[in-house]
Amino acid sequence: MPGNGVIARADRSEGRLVCSLPQERLWFLDRADPATTPPGILAAVRFTGKLDIPTLGRCLDEIVRRHEVLRTNLVESGGTPWQVVRPPAPVPLPVRDITRAPDPERAIDESWAREAGTPFDLATDPLLRAGLLRAGDREHVLLLNIHPVACDSRSIGVLLAELAALYESGRHGTTSRLPQPPVQYGDVAVWQRERLGHGELDHHRRYWRTHLAGATALVLPADRSRSAVRTARADTVGFRLTPEVTAAVEQRAAEAGTTPFAVLLAAFGVVLWRWSGQPEVLVGSTATGRSAPQTTSLVGLFATTVALRLDLRADPTFGSLIDAAGIECEAAAAHQAVPFEPTPSEPMAGDTGVVPPVSVTLTLRDTPPARLRLDDLVIEELPARAVTTNFEVALELAPADGGLEGQWKFSTDLFDRDTASRMAGAFAMVLERGTAHPDEAVSLLPLITEAESTRLIAELSGHGTPVAELGPRTLHGLFERSVDQAPGAVAVVCGERTLTYRELDERANRLAHFLRANGVGAEQLVGICLPRSELMIIATLGVLKAGAAYVPLDPGYPPARLNYMARDAEATVVLTHSSVTVAEQLDADIRFVRLDTEWATIAASPAERLAAGAEGTGLAYVIHTSGTSGPPKGSANEHAKVVNTLHGVNEVYELTPADRMLAISSLSYDMSVYEVFGTLAAGAAVIVPSDAETIDPGRLLDLLVGQQVTAWSSAPALLDALVTHTRGGMPGVRLRVVGLGGDRMPPALPGRLFELIPGVRLLNLAGMTESSYCSLAYRVTHRSYPGGVPWGRPYPNQRVYILDRHGRPTPIGVPGELFIGGAGPGRGYWRRPRLTAQRFLPDPFSTEPGSRVYATGDHARFRANGDVEFLGRLDKQIKIRGFRIEPGEIEAELSTHASVNEPVVIAFDEDLGEPKLAAYVTPRGEKRPTAAELRAYLTALLPAHMVPSVYLVLDRLPLLPSGKLDRAALPSPTTGRTALSGMSPTVLRAAEPQTGNGFAPREPARPGWHRGAGTTAGA
């Protein structure tokens, strides 16, 4: 707002005046979306004693007469708002009697909330509304609601002081001694515009443009998903800073040569930094904007929000951060004459980027709420009752009884009260510790007490649910127990071929004897390179019974990749089939055992079980991860730990011998471990589809019906593709339980599945190949999860930790890195000791010698109910136009479009410019969505920076053999497009594929319905 200078009375001959910059901004916000307009400035005054109501009414009339802005409307002319001052008029003062209300205080709250929710018409309505509540003969409450274009918080103090002075003189019949305002708010607006026109404020604009260049908008992890439409509904958590802490704040400020506000800002910044995980935070604060002496006693919108930018990426000490905060506050105060947010009529010239909005604010009142006594009448300003805010978080502090009274105001569209309470408690704790230890790094300042940290470890991490180990400790031992219990039960079905548990056991025993006779023994890796059939099951069991471990070699992989994996595993024996021609291209020193042509030799081996095999600590398998960069890594897992996982998964599946599990996953994908060994451990039947059935949704559906499959386990994309293919229900399908893992579950998939198969049990399974296949499970019960389906809680004997950079537990709601401990972590990476040492670390919370945790690299947090929520990969964060983007949020909204089946959102670069977003979607039903439809749909739901620039409609998404999305095989967003943006997007045909599906996948994409092909919708 205005700097030093003399404000003159403006010419009013035209009957209108220009708006101030803050007024203009609010007017444009109100026109664009009334929901984004800040709520009215509400004030409540309690009168205790005998109140003269007519005199009170005349006082309000006089205040409105004195201050033109309170009887001003903003009227549009030529697309621009103008101030039009109305003649003075009586202020309506309706009186509502609440003396008979059961709870008068609640009646006051309800009246305040009702008034807060009543909108203003800026062009016609009076900008000050008043109402009086009669709570008793000697108790009344005055409610005032003033639109923010006409008032700010400092103006409320001016108004109440005038009200008290006018009431006192009016009650005694004397003339008021209040001097007439020297100028009016409209004069200030004209003066400000003249200064802008003469370039007097250009250096302020240059400062904000330069200072905020490259700033990142603060995004706090919320309890509910964000959308473009958000109300001003809010709540507040109160807390108190003791006189001792307040004194420490003042002392630290004095020692640093700054203000107490800078100390409070530093502590607030630490909490926001730790909660968001961003390298810097942007905090808004209110500047008075009353630098011109004539504005001191005026009512009007003088206050502006200044942006305070704190960079914490270097992990400064708290004392250093106080110094930086002080410098930041001084600079902001010096440049408060111009709002940092440009307005449509006064954009920041030369600005090439978007100024990030302020989503959190910090306010420190310099005086407590007013309390006056006029003879026998006590006038007292009440604290806010109905809470509204257009910020995500607004921290307000005010002096009270030697300390500071805090109000942590939060948007209830985003946060739960418990979350706000934890943040407020963390602020108080950081402030107390930081002022006492200013030389401590801010990352070390505690957010929770030791007791809360202990509780997190003891309860949420899984320590509180130990389960005694029962039964066999090897994978084949679990199977053999089922053989002994029901030898004649069906174990494996593949096409027309069926094996009972006894038959499967005998064949696996013969293979085990054969392998032993050929030099295979403990800890040796045997390759399995087989097409889908019952031979896969026989091979894995035979290898394990021989005391060895298996390494899957998918026949669909390129020969070079298979060669690398076989050499890495040091496999001298590979079990294969005569139809697998790729095996002939592997190293010549490998002994290939073709189970079809050599079975007669194998069958001559004994059918009895080997006397000695692997122990629980023995190696069970090595599965190579996909390897997005560099060669694939082999993850080695031991029997007993995988057995523990299978017990946990079977418990959430509630699997019984009556179930029939579809083994759809490749052996190279660790979900196959459960599909085979978890099923056999439960005495159920493994249904093995042919390769052709896994790639044809029609044939797969027939298999589900024909084989009466009751249990499903796969990556989400496989089931999503089947659900998409299905029209009009799934008659005859008997699926009882479905487990999905390995990738994000599409947010809309649960609802569509529940429609097709009512009553189905749906599980979200989460884990890593490095940690015994699976570590957490969540029972999906809702039809849709806009913020993403939670990962749930750990299995018995597994532990999950969410830790900060110092290895300390993060509070509930605060993101950190997810670590898996307990019985989860495997041995490590095969023949990669250095990498194993980097990712498999000593467990700092375990009392068991040698216990380790696996560092997943996943960004996660605990929800209040104890569930783990996955937030993304720590190494794959996207930043666009100063905003940190989580693609999952955009995918969640896209999935709610009626014509969208499965969405995928990625970031891409074009011509080394700023990253842009591309959305890939598969159509739901016959109608293919257009780019214009999708853009319009997302624009109504998401902020502009989250709306993709490019839309590609694919018939199918490309998948890896594991069933996961093959992101490397997605078509380039620039393929077949002439522009990335435009007002009239068109749908263009993608280039015709050259071979197969036209992609160059990191791993070979599955043929048929898994491939990505379709149209590009460029927007």
Side-chain angles (χ1 to χ4, degrees), residues 547-595:
Y550 70 90
V551 56
L553 302 172
D554 195 306
Y557 285 177
R561 183 181 181 88
L562 289 179
N563 248 326
Y564 172 84
M565 293 165 63
R567 287 197 302 268
D568 181 63
E570 297 178 319
T572 58
V573 176
V574 172
L575 306 180
T576 186
H577 190 275
S578 59
S579 64
V580 180
T581 57
V582 71
E584 299 172 357
Q585 303 178 46
L586 301 184
D587 288 350
D589 57 351
I590 294 177
R591 162 76 161 96
F592 294 102
V593 179
R594 293 171 175 82
L595 297 185

Side-chain angles (χ1 to χ4, degrees), residues 131-210:
L132 189 66
L133 302 177
R134 180 175 179 270
D137 291 339
R138 296 178 60 79
E139 184 172 354
H140 296 77
V141 175
L142 174 67
L143 297 180
L144 298 176
N145 189 4
I146 308 174
H147 195 282
V149 299
C151 188
D152 56 21
S153 59
R154 181 65 64 92
S155 297
I156 292 293
V158 173
L159 190 152
L160 295 181
E162 290 192 0
L163 180 65
L166 291 169
Y167 183 85
E168 183 175 24
S169 59
R171 190 177 62 164
H172 291 95
T174 60
T175 302
S176 169
R177 297 181 180 179
L178 287 176
Q180 291 300 314
V183 291
Q184 293 290 335
Y185 184 77
D187 303 320
V188 178
V190 172
W191 173 69
Q192 181 194 57
R193 293 289 187 168
E194 289 175 348
R195 296 184 70 204
L196 279 173
H198 295 146
E200 295 179 34
L201 304 180
D202 286 352
H203 67 290
H204 297 305
R205 299 164 72 180
R206 285 193 298 271
Y207 168 79
W208 289 118
R209 184 171 63 247
T210 303

Side-chain angles (χ1 to χ4, degrees), residues 59 121 190 332 370 385 506 608 816 821 960 1000:
C59 292
D121 186 328
V190 172
R385 307 287 278 262
E506 290 176 350
E608 293 77 22
L960 296 165

Side-chain angles (χ1 to χ4, degrees), residues 906-969:
I906 67 168
F908 70 97
D909 294 311
E910 185 184 54
D911 299 329
L912 301 179
E914 186 177 58
K916 294 180 173 64
L917 294 173
Y920 299 80
V921 302
T922 57
R924 182 188 305 179
E926 300 299 325
K927 186 178 183 300
R928 301 177 73 84
T930 66
E933 290 176 27
L934 297 176
R935 179 192 287 275
Y937 186 75
L938 288 182
T939 299
L941 297 173
L942 296 171
H945 63 273
M946 295 180 71
V947 177
S949 304
V950 182
Y951 300 82
L952 296 94
V953 183
L954 307 179
D955 296 326
R956 297 164 294 273
L957 292 176
L959 302 182
L960 296 165
S962 63
K964 294 183 181 181
L965 174 69
D966 189 351
R967 293 181 180 271

Side-chain angles (χ1 to χ4, degrees), residues 467-479 481 544 614-618 620-621 637-651 673-674 677-678 681-682 771-774 795-798 823-824:
V467 174
E469 294 178 315
L470 300 174
R473 301 184 67 238
T474 62
L475 297 178
H476 54 284
L478 291 176
F479 162 68
R481 182 178 62 180
L544 297 180
E615 299 294 333
T617 56
Y621 59 81
N637 287 277
E638 297 176 351
H639 279 273
K641 293 189 173 184
V642 180
V643 165
N644 183 81
T645 297
L646 297 184
H647 282 307
V649 182
N650 272 345
E651 184 175 328
V673 175
Y674 177 68
F677 298 108
S771 57
S772 307
Y773 150 59
C774 193
Y795 297 124
N797 297 320
Q798 295 213 37

Side-chain angles (χ1 to χ4, degrees), residues 472 478-489 501 609 657 680-684:
L478 291 176
F479 162 68
E480 291 172 350
R481 182 178 62 180
S482 296
V483 174
D484 296 339
Q485 291 173 346
Y501 271 85
R609 296 171 187 168
L680 296 177

